[in-house]
Amino acid sequence: MRDMKKIVACVLTAMMSAPLVASEAEMNRVLGIWKQQVDGWQKAAQEAPSPEAAAAVPTPDPTTIASDLWRAISARTGTRKETVSVGKGRKKREESVTVPTFEFEQSWALPGVVWILQHPEAFAAAFDESQQNQVSYYAEALIKSVQRIHFAYPGIRDICATLAQNAGVREYEIVQKIYNRNSDPTTRACAALAMSLMLNNPMIAGVEGGAAMTRGKRIYYLKQSLLLGAPETPFGNSTLGEVAGEQTYRLRYLSEGCIPPQLKLRDVDGRVSSYPQPDKVNLLLFWTPDEPLGASIVENLQKMQEKYPDLLICPIAPFQTPESLQQLLQSVPGMQDSLLDDEKGSAGLAYRVSAVPTAVLVSKRSTILFAGAPGVQFQTALDKALNPLPADRPKVTIKAADAAPVIQPGSQPHTAGEGSPTPDAPPLREMPAF
């Protein structure tokens, strides 16, 4: 009951604070200003004389339009009934409550809804300190508007890439609904690609079944995205074709069970070797000396090697100039055992390393057993790959024993062998007369 009162209070506060008027024309005007800012920034970056100068071009600030955009689409329009769950456990029940409706639930407001969901920090900044308790309420209302209404419109395709980046079970269900129930092929293509990307997340993959089923669905949705949409279709900051190509690479070379790219790496003395090596369990550990966890693992490699003597450990550090390498050899424990990437970062690029440390465990058959951050799942895969299987149970053979047989209490068995009495057969009964 106390939770119910909180909901009602939040609803009333939102109703009182929402603007009374909204305008599609005002929304389009504000979004037009934002488009001009983005176009100007992109043009300045493209015309910059160097990559450094392009990076120095200031990006547009979304907080400059967030307040105006929110006022344009957040007017209250009335109320509706909604069923909510109240209580927990056995006391959990469903009740019907009255909630306000807003202009952002209308089809014309979809571009504004998409923009706000793409810029959550700017949206939160549109509320002052006394209104911060309303941010989560309105954010939830915006998500519900997508679930209830906007999923069916073609313009919702622009949110698919954003939902794929914030991959949670709820976001996956929204994208799945867009794919299954939106009639626009291009929108369904964006939703299919988003689902394929989201299934890379173990939390999402667990919803869809085992590893084989999940991989099959990643491939299926990837193919669907290419069949339904044109490669030049915008998808986030890239295109559908480019993102699909990247996903294809990961599924072919970097997924569990795949044969990963072969690397040529040099050690600190300049010797070049190829990794991973066949017929051995390889651990490729991408790390940097200034990252604590990876540096700690490299510092204790000797202990790991003693625990797993059959493991080939290959710590891979970024490229170092001769001067910086000499300094690191003196100050970083374990650096002398590390391999070095080249100036282009080819090894990290081939394995799509986006964060360090990243561990890639490769089997004796040169297939990936694990790829990701070192943790419980990595430890499980490592133990499974290197710990010997339980020994076969010994065969049980029964030999003739000279010792006397064990006699159960109360029994009086005769001695086996010659001289043993033979019990008399029972006499035959007389045939009955007919």
Side-chain angles (χ1 to χ4, degrees):
M1 192 64 181
R2 187 174 299 174
D3 293 339
M4 193 66 190
K5 291 180 179 179
K6 289 182 179 179
I7 294 174
V8 173
C10 189
V11 169
L12 292 175
T13 302
M15 292 176 65
M16 291 185 293
S17 61
L20 298 178
V21 292
S23 168
E24 180 179 3
E26 176 64 10
M27 179 194 73
N28 292 333
R29 184 190 70 82
V30 175
L31 291 176
I33 294 174
W34 175 252
K35 186 177 184 305
Q36 290 177 355
Q37 294 178 2
V38 172
D39 291 344
W41 164 65
Q42 292 177 341
K43 183 178 180 180
Q46 291 172 357
E47 296 176 351
S50 65
E52 293 76 14
V57 177
T59 58
D61 182 5
T63 60
T64 59
I65 71 161
S67 296
D68 291 341
L69 180 61
W70 176 239
R71 281 194 294 268
I73 67 172
S74 57
R76 178 166 48 88
T77 59
T79 60
R80 64 178 177 84
K81 293 291 185 179
E82 182 177 282
T83 302
V84 297
S85 297
V86 180
K88 297 181 180 179
R90 294 182 178 180
K91 296 182 179 180
K92 187 175 181 179
R93 65 186 187 280
E94 291 187 346
E95 290 187 1
S96 179
V97 297
T98 300
V99 297
T101 56
F102 302 94
E103 287 285 4
F104 56 72
E105 296 175 323
Q106 303 299 317
S107 59
W108 62 262
L110 176 56
V113 172
V114 169
W115 190 96
I116 289 175
L117 294 178
Q118 290 174 335
H119 303 86
E121 294 84 3
F123 175 65
F127 296 79
D128 58 34
E129 293 184 4
S130 64
Q131 298 174 324
Q132 284 301 306
N133 61 336
Q134 300 174 27
V135 175
S136 59
Y137 171 81
Y138 282 122
E140 178 70 13
L142 288 165
I143 289 292
K144 286 184 177 180
S145 74
V146 173
Q147 291 176 304
R148 293 177 53 249
I149 301 165
H150 295 310
F151 73 88
Y153 299 114
I156 199 63
R157 74 171 71 109
D158 296 332
I159 201 62
C160 291
T162 302
L163 294 176
Q165 292 176 350
N166 303 320
V169 174
R170 185 181 189 183
E171 288 79 8
Y172 181 77
E173 291 174 349
I174 293 174
V175 175
Q176 193 174 43
K177 189 173 184 179
I178 295 171
Y179 173 77
N180 289 328
R181 299 179 61 177
N182 196 295
S183 60
D184 179 62
T186 303
T187 303
R188 297 186 67 231
C190 292
L193 182 55
M195 293 172 69
S196 180
L197 296 173
M198 295 168 96
L199 285 169
N200 294 331
N201 185 334
M203 181 177 66
I204 305 299
V207 177
E208 290 289 10
M213 182 178 293
T214 301
R215 176 177 171 80
K217 288 191 174 184
R218 284 203 298 262
I219 296 173
Y220 172 77
Y221 288 127
L222 176 62
K223 291 181 177 179
Q224 286 296 104
S225 69
L226 295 174
L227 289 172
L228 293 169
E232 62 273 13
T233 301
F235 190 86
N237 296 324
S238 185
T239 64
L240 188 143
E242 291 175 350
V243 177
E246 176 65 17
Q247 177 72 341
T248 301
Y249 179 89
R250 291 176 180 272
L251 287 171
R252 182 175 182 181
Y253 297 110
L254 300 178
S255 297
E256 184 177 328
C258 297
I259 298 177
Q262 193 74 10
L263 303 176
K264 289 189 176 296
L265 301 166
R266 65 180 180 88
D267 60 20
V268 296
D269 296 323
R271 294 185 295 267
V272 178
S273 302
S274 295
Y275 299 92
Q277 296 183 7
D279 301 322
K280 295 181 180 179
V281 178
N282 291 249
L283 170 59
L284 308 182
L285 179 67
F286 294 87
W287 71 291
T288 58
D290 56 351
E291 191 279 318
L293 178 58
S296 175
I297 295 175
V298 172
E299 182 178 353
N300 294 280
L301 283 185
Q302 186 60 38
K303 294 181 180 179
M304 180 180 287
Q305 194 69 78
E306 292 173 358
K307 184 177 180 180
Y308 303 103
D310 296 331
L311 177 64
L312 178 60
I313 306 176
C314 313
I316 304 172
F319 171 79
Q320 305 292 334
T321 63
E323 297 78 11
S324 61
L325 179 58
Q326 289 302 318
Q327 294 178 356
L328 292 173
L329 288 173
Q330 298 174 6
S331 59
V332 178
M335 188 68 197
Q336 68 276 3
D337 300 320
S338 189
L339 304 166
L340 299 177
D341 203 349
D342 60 21
E343 296 183 22
K344 298 179 180 179
S346 301
L349 180 62
Y351 279 77
R352 298 303 192 262
V353 177
S354 58
V356 289
T358 291
V360 181
L361 189 65
V362 184
S363 72
K364 291 183 179 180
R365 297 182 178 181
S366 299
T367 58
I368 291 181
L369 300 174
F370 173 87
V376 176
Q377 292 181 337
F378 163 70
Q379 188 64 51
T380 301
L382 184 60
D383 290 336
K384 185 177 180 180
L386 292 172
N387 284 349
L389 296 174
D392 293 333
R393 298 180 63 181
K395 295 181 179 180
V396 179
T397 56
I398 301 176
K399 298 181 180 179
D402 296 332
V406 177
I407 300 176
Q408 296 295 330
S411 62
Q412 296 179 350
H414 295 284
T415 304
E418 187 177 357
S420 299
T422 303
D424 296 333
L428 295 175
R429 292 184 299 172
E430 295 182 0
M431 294 293 293
F434 295 96

